Amino acid sequence: MNLWFRLLIISISSITYAQEATEIYLFDLIQNDSIFNIENPINISENVGYDNQPSFLLDGSGILFSSTRDGQTDIALYNLENKTKAWLTETPGSEYSPIQTPNKKYFSAICLEEDGTQLLWKYPFNRKKPSILIENLKVGYHVWFTSKIIVSFVLNEPPTLEVSNLKFKIKYPIDKNIGRSILKIPNTEKISFISHEHEDPEIYAIDPYTSEKEYLADAVEGSQDLTWTPDGTMIMGSGSKLYKLKPGKDKDWVEIASLEAHNLKGITRLVVSPLGNKIAIVVEE
């Protein structure tokens, strides 16, 4: 079993089993053409245990993330203007991977119930009763493609990339043996994902309607997660360093920043704000 497949198995199991202790730091992201820099780190989670899976609200005013309290994982919202954290869920189960819905009225998240049931739910911001979004599909990670279409990492062997059309209530797979990072590519009608079909993980763009895909780049060694800037630049992290690659322009990954000066390491998930002026990075606690 090669290293990448072992990492994939770990990522699949991480939802179900004990989580590593992590924190989420918010940085200013400064871009001047192809030159990037990060400044002014803020620990937005400030919590012992698992704090992970950040995603920005669509207007950039806040960050949703998973956070451990009282022995389970709930969803929290960090307000960038007030620099405050509020809890949004309090259920018998645990919630993961929160994302604001396109209509901005709700957020979707994975709910792992006490009996092991794992489904994608929709939650009102006012903490009223949530509802199941997709029945009978064990979703690990997801992204909204349109207001009616969700693309998901589904827990199969190997994991599959699947499209769920909420309007017509149909589901269909479009690829297999994928990693956990699935994202809408800015200013396109495509989704990016990391394929583990070959020895070295590769990043692809795929059309959810036609399943047509295009190779973009090899992934940074040792990294499972990427994010996109508004201008179509990919950023990945490994260890304490950040790298960037703009498909069609850069031939290879270029180091753009190091967190060593801030005594931070173990970069995993990361996400750039809608305006491209902030980046949230998950690191070891």
Side-chain angles (χ1 to χ4, degrees):
M1 184 184 293
N2 66 37
L3 171 62
W4 291 105
F5 192 73
R6 290 200 300 270
L7 288 172
L8 184 59
I9 295 298
I10 291 168
S11 75
I12 294 170
S13 303
S14 66
I15 289 182
T16 307
Y17 299 105
Q19 307 285 4
E20 294 182 359
T22 47
E23 294 280 11
I24 304 172
Y25 279 79
L26 178 67
F27 292 82
D28 292 333
L29 179 64
I30 301 165
Q31 180 179 1
N32 183 7
D33 192 21
S34 61
I35 306 299
F36 290 80
N37 193 23
I38 58 170
E39 297 179 353
N40 304 320
I42 301 173
N43 184 338
I44 68 170
S45 49
E46 287 283 1
N47 180 56
V48 175
Y50 180 81
D51 301 282
N52 215 314
Q53 301 165 334
S55 68
F56 279 89
L57 296 181
L58 296 176
D59 64 1
S61 65
I63 301 173
L64 294 163
F65 62 96
S66 305
S67 186
T68 300
R69 64 168 175 171
D70 300 329
Q72 67 180 54
T73 303
D74 290 315
I75 302 304
L77 174 63
Y78 179 82
N79 184 298
L80 270 66
E81 182 178 358
N82 300 330
K83 298 182 179 179
T84 56
K85 180 174 77 172
W87 295 100
L88 299 182
T89 62
E90 189 173 1
T91 66
S94 290
E95 283 80 28
Y96 300 90
S97 301
I99 302 174
Q100 188 175 26
T101 61
N103 66 11
K104 302 181 182 180
K105 296 179 181 179
Y106 307 89
F107 65 91
S108 52
I110 312 302
C111 180
L112 176 59
E113 299 185 39
E114 293 174 303
D115 64 1
T117 301
Q118 183 173 312
L119 295 171
L120 183 63
W121 287 65
K122 180 175 71 174
Y123 298 79
F125 280 96
N126 60 10
R127 297 182 60 171
K128 290 186 177 180
K129 187 177 179 179
S131 58
I132 295 174
L133 265 174
I134 306 175
E135 298 275 4
N136 304 316
L137 197 67
K138 196 169 185 178
V139 174
Y141 310 95
H142 71 292
V143 63
W144 287 87
F145 182 63
T146 70
S147 62
K148 297 296 182 183
I149 294 177
I150 296 172
V151 181
S152 303
F153 169 113
V154 179
L155 289 158
N156 292 314
E157 291 190 20
T160 51
L161 187 66
E162 301 202 16
V163 175
S164 297
N165 189 310
L166 304 182
K167 180 178 180 180
F168 298 110
K169 297 183 179 179
I170 58 173
K171 300 187 286 282
Y172 54 91
I174 56 174
D175 215 297
K176 61 182 175 65
N177 205 5
I178 67 162
R180 68 191 182 192
S181 183
I182 50 175
L183 301 162
K184 181 80 178 289
I185 302 176
N187 304 310
T188 75
E189 293 301 310
K190 294 183 179 181
I191 296 291
S192 68
F193 71 98
I194 298 177
S195 171
H196 293 268
E197 280 289 276
H198 302 108
E199 183 176 354
D200 295 324
E202 299 170 329
I203 304 169
Y204 284 87
I206 193 166
D207 183 328
Y209 295 117
T210 66
S211 300
E212 292 183 5
K213 62 182 182 181
E214 173 191 3
Y215 169 83
L216 299 179
D218 283 3
V220 169
E221 185 176 355
S223 179
Q224 301 183 67
D225 304 285
L226 66 89
T227 184
W228 289 89
T229 66
D231 75 344
T233 298
M234 297 186 292
I235 297 178
M236 298 189 79
S238 181
S240 60
K241 299 183 185 301
L242 294 176
Y243 302 85
K244 69 96 176 179
L245 185 151
K246 189 169 186 178
K249 182 177 180 180
D250 298 324
K251 293 183 178 180
D252 204 351
W253 291 94
V254 178
E255 182 181 334
I256 58 171
S258 174
L259 306 190
E260 291 178 353
H262 308 290
N263 296 316
L264 302 175
K265 62 179 182 178
I267 297 170
T268 52
R269 292 176 176 88
L270 64 177
V271 60
V272 171
S273 65
L275 294 178
N277 61 340
K278 301 281 185 180
I279 183 170
I281 305 174
V282 177
V283 296
E284 292 177 7
E285 189 173 276

